[in-house]
Amino acid sequence: ARVKNALFEYIVRGDTNEPLAQSSVRDFVEILGSRTPAPGGGSASALVAAIGAALGVMAAWLTYGKRRFEAKDEIMRENIPPLHFTMKDLISMIDADTNAFNDYMAARKLPRKTAEEKKHREGEMQKGLKTAIDVPLGIMECSDQCWAAMMKIDKNMGNPGCKK
């Protein structure tokens, strides 16, 4: 039992600057439904994907370490960490998406009176657009990484309470 516990003692919460991810569910949903353009669909999809990964990890934990499902321990041990770390990455992307959008919007407000200002503004807007596209792409890629572990967990689920 000690070895099993030591194997998964990797969850360490660090200091983060993630106001959306650290907000309550109620607060996040109310902000999402407010009269502001951000957070929006990217942040919401990161949250939903993180919840999906979390449910996969939960199902694995409910099988792992139980005497009657002992034959499934190795498979669960292999698949809990990748889902856990992907879940953590997706949580960070909740704020990353909103920040990327806000950076683009800030670039749009840059001065554009002189040719130099216009060039600088255009460069910042392009940089902001690239980031605003890269974050949702990262959300999709992270979400896609969950499938292999989720399928293995589902195929080898020992706990019947997780099959409903």
Side-chain angles (χ1 to χ4, degrees), residues 77-118:
R77 187 174 31 250
E78 289 171 8
N79 290 286
I80 289 171
L83 279 178
H84 171 80
F85 289 119
T86 301
M87 174 193 72
K88 293 292 219 175
D89 290 344
L90 287 161
I91 291 169
S92 294
M93 290 181 183
I94 295 168
D95 284 278
D97 184 75
T98 296
N99 294 340
F101 179 79
N102 289 339
D103 289 349
Y104 170 73
M105 294 305 286
R108 289 188 61 200
K109 294 177 182 177
L110 289 172
R112 54 184 172 187
K113 292 181 180 171
T114 68
E116 187 177 301
E117 287 176 340
K118 287 178 185 177

Side-chain angles (χ1 to χ4, degrees), residues 21-98:
Q22 293 177 349
S23 67
S24 72
V25 172
R26 177 181 304 279
D27 288 346
F28 180 79
V29 171
E30 288 178 357
I31 292 167
L32 195 61
S34 68
R35 193 177 184 145
T36 61
S43 293
S45 64
L47 173 61
V48 171
I51 290 170
L55 288 169
V57 171
M58 179 186 75
W61 277 119
L62 291 173
T63 295
Y64 180 76
K66 306 283 192 231
R67 181 171 290 157
R68 67 183 188 169
F69 310 129
E70 200 170 14
K72 309 289 186 179
D73 274 3
E74 185 177 339
I75 292 165
M76 297 304 141
R77 187 174 31 250
E78 289 171 8
N79 290 286
I80 289 171
L83 279 178
H84 171 80
F85 289 119
T86 301
M87 174 193 72
K88 293 292 219 175
D89 290 344
L90 287 161
I91 291 169
S92 294
M93 290 181 183
I94 295 168
D95 284 278
D97 184 75
T98 296

